[in-house]
Amino acid sequence: MSPTGKKLSELAEYVGGRVVGDDAVIISRISPIEEAGPGDITFLANPRYARFLTNSKASAIIVGPHVIDEQFTQLGRGFLEVAQPYLAFAKILQLFAPVAEYELEINSSAHIEPSAKIGESVSVYPHAYIGKHAIVGNRSILLPGVFLGEGVEVGDDCVLHPNVVVRERCRIGNRVILHAGVVIGSDGFGYAGTGDQRIKIPQVGVVEIEDDVEIGSNTTIDRATLGRTVIGRGVKIDNLVQIAHNVTIGEHSVIAAQVGIAGSTKVGKNVTLAGQVGVVNHIQIGDGATIGPQSGVPRSVPPGALLSGGIGVAPHHEWLKVMTLLPQLPKLWNVVRNLERKVAQLVNREGKEQ
């Protein structure tokens, strides 16, 4: 399908939706609902933007079921009705988005050790370094400043953005995207002893990143103390995430920005960790669990659980009152328990007297 000048009916077939209104309108761009104009398609995935439907100048709007009525069909535009508007938007945006183009060459300023193996149609940009016995798969792209340590393996069709570091012996699967500044395989945070007797525990394991993973800028994934730190197939990780040694992330999980996961924790498949979630070490988070933003996870989580722990924002004077009361909660709890006992005694006494 060509990325320009497509009929709305063609887009509907592409995303598995149905057209209400003009199915022959030509769509050439996708734009935000408040900015869209003629020739644009936009989308409504969040009800809070419904007020824009009437005044939007878009030629077509992607909507969910039961959103449009007679009022909107009289506006003279097309609607693309789908079960999941945001998913349909993503598919159409992929269709119209320009494809990044890379120079298929190995720049003379890149340093590649003689024992390294480079696949076909690989691009290596200026000042990249590929260490001894490293392997780079077919059609992979190494942008400026990428560092691949000794024995690293990078699969086919990967894109490593500027200043990505993959330390020695770590393995990257196929179709993996590592954004700028990602560090794979730095030492895990491991020490033994206390005070001036504290010693570093050698981190001799590796990191394995499976196929179709995308990792955001400046995320760090530590190598295992022994064995492997594993990021499963299809996992999507945001910017500024810290994943410690020997952690396992199950397939197709999603981890938002500033999450921290301590060592040896096992995260299941299709788990969602929202922004700034903190997870302690040596626990398990079951398949399909969702943890809300700024939550601390101190113990294992069962499959499918929906948990939240962050404190919502409040007017400052109310927040001060809450913070003042928090240290007194244990005392208040004891007072309430004592009152409950006294009330129970009074009820029992009245019952006997009757």
Side-chain angles (χ1 to χ4, degrees):
M1 184 182 290
S2 170
T4 58
K6 303 310 296 182
K7 292 181 181 179
L8 184 59
S9 59
E10 293 177 288
L11 296 180
E13 182 178 358
Y14 182 65
V15 299
R18 76 180 186 98
V19 175
V20 178
D22 185 1
D23 67 351
V25 64
I26 300 299
I27 302 299
S28 57
R29 295 175 304 275
I30 185 164
S31 300
I33 192 168
E34 64 271 29
E35 300 176 10
D40 292 348
I41 188 170
T42 187
F43 72 103
L44 177 68
N46 191 316
R48 74 179 66 178
Y49 295 106
R51 66 186 186 277
F52 291 109
L53 279 177
T54 302
N55 297 323
S56 176
K57 295 180 173 57
S59 294
I61 300 176
I62 306 166
V63 296
H66 315 301
V67 171
I68 53 176
D69 54 27
E70 185 176 350
Q71 169 193 355
F72 295 124
T73 58
Q74 295 175 353
L75 295 176
R77 67 168 68 92
F79 291 89
L80 176 48
E81 187 178 74
V82 293
Q84 299 183 63
Y86 198 59
L87 179 60
F89 152 75
K91 290 181 177 179
I92 293 174
L93 186 57
Q94 285 182 339
L95 186 66
F96 284 96
V99 177
E101 296 183 0
Y102 299 102
E103 298 292 335
L104 296 180
E105 65 176 13
I106 297 175
N107 189 271
S108 60
S109 69
H111 181 88
I112 302 175
E113 291 289 343
S115 58
K117 296 180 180 180
I118 309 299
E120 298 179 359
S121 302
V122 169
S123 295
V124 183
Y125 275 65
H127 307 297
Y129 173 84
I130 301 176
K132 296 176 181 178
H133 308 294
I135 299 173
V136 179
N138 299 327
R139 299 173 300 280
S140 285
I141 311 295
L142 276 57
L143 289 162
V146 167
F147 174 92
L148 304 183
E150 182 174 352
V152 163
E153 296 180 16
V154 175
D156 297 338
D157 302 297
C158 295
V159 180
L160 276 58
H161 286 276
N163 299 319
V164 164
V165 173
V166 184
R167 292 274 304 276
E168 56 275 7
R169 298 180 289 108
C170 294
R171 295 187 285 274
I172 311 296
N174 299 317
R175 300 174 300 281
V176 171
I177 301 173
L178 304 180
H179 288 279
V182 165
V183 178
I184 305 297
S186 53
D187 281 1
F189 190 66
Y191 298 88
T194 59
D196 61 2
Q197 300 301 308
R198 185 176 287 116
I199 62 171
K200 180 178 177 66
I201 300 171
Q203 307 292 298
V204 299
V206 298
V207 176
E208 289 187 0
I209 297 177
E210 297 180 356
D211 296 345
D212 302 303
V213 170
E214 183 165 1
I215 301 176
S217 295
N218 295 321
T219 284
T220 58
I221 302 176
D222 291 347
R223 67 176 56 247
T225 306
L226 301 170
R228 305 176 300 158
T229 300
V230 179
I231 309 299
R233 181 168 58 91
V235 168
K236 311 303 180 189
I237 301 176
D238 201 355
N239 306 329
L240 298 168
V241 171
Q242 159 63 22
I243 297 176
H245 60 84
N246 294 94
V247 167
T248 297
I249 309 293
E251 295 180 358
H252 303 297
S253 290
V254 177
I255 301 175
Q258 297 184 350
V259 165
I261 304 175
S264 299
T265 283
K266 310 299 181 186
V267 177
K269 300 176 182 179
N270 294 297
V271 169
T272 298
L273 301 181
Q276 295 188 333
V277 166
V279 184
V280 300
N281 57 342
H282 297 280
I283 66 169
Q284 296 186 6
I285 297 179
D287 295 347
T290 298
I291 313 295
Q294 292 192 325
S295 300
V297 185
R299 61 186 67 87
S300 290
V301 174
L306 174 59
L307 304 177
S308 293
I311 298 176
V313 67
H316 186 63
H317 67 282
E318 293 182 10
W319 179 83
L320 289 174
K321 291 179 181 178
V322 171
M323 293 300 104
T324 301
L325 287 172
L326 276 178
Q328 302 179 50
L329 286 179
K331 180 180 177 181
L332 291 172
W333 174 244
N334 288 332
V335 171
V336 170
R337 293 295 300 272
N338 289 332
L339 289 173
E340 286 178 338
R341 294 190 190 98
K342 290 181 180 180
V343 170
Q345 291 172 358
L346 289 172
V347 170
N348 290 334
R349 187 181 305 165
E350 290 178 358
K352 291 178 181 178
E353 290 176 353
Q354 292 177 358

